[in-house]
Amino acid sequence: VLDARASLLEAGLHDGECLTAIAGQVRVATTTSAFAFWCTGGTGVVTWGNPMCGGDNCRVQDQLQNVQQVCATFSAFAAVLADGRVVTWGDASRGGDSSQVADQLRNVRQIHASH
């Protein structure tokens, strides 16, 4: 199994060697002015757009491993991880900061958003 963040050269693969890849289904979620792009079970979430509306997830990027689902509100995102934790980012006043209740967000299987 290769590190998805490494280049083929960094992984030690050479010209002529065989590589088998399994690609997951690509998913997209949107706020009013930001996008989140991920593959279920993948190693991260790519975001772009207005940073105040979730377009910048650098604060939580290292936590976004094995993402199962991402939901969006008007200006924030929430991701459910395979282990049942929830990670949020975006406008704190609209759901982008769940740090105060993080210990209660365990064994979550699915989330829904409202605007």
Side-chain angles (χ1 to χ4, degrees):
V1 176
L2 300 176
D3 181 348
R5 296 169 293 228
S7 71
L8 295 178
L9 183 61
E10 292 169 337
L13 291 172
H14 298 70
D15 189 29
E17 291 185 314
C18 292
L19 176 67
T20 301
I22 300 172
Q25 184 176 9
V26 175
R27 310 275 183 162
V28 176
T30 64
T31 63
T32 57
S33 57
F35 298 85
F37 173 90
W38 79 101
C39 291
T40 302
T43 59
V45 176
V46 175
T47 58
W48 67 96
N50 184 336
M52 295 299 295
C53 294
D56 179 3
N57 66 356
C58 67
R59 180 179 58 83
V60 297
Q61 183 63 45
D62 62 328
Q63 300 173 56
L64 296 171
Q65 302 294 315
N66 294 313
V67 174
Q68 303 300 301
Q69 178 190 7
V70 176
C71 276
T73 66
F74 185 79
S75 57
F77 291 103
V80 177
L81 309 182
D83 65 3
R85 290 181 296 132
V86 175
V87 177
T88 58
W89 69 96
D91 184 348
S93 68
R94 296 189 183 255
D97 182 0
S98 59
S99 59
Q100 296 294 317
V101 294
D103 61 328
Q104 298 172 47
L105 297 174
R106 301 281 184 236
N107 301 313
V108 175
R109 293 186 181 184
Q110 189 174 36
I111 55 177
H112 295 276
S114 60
H115 289 269

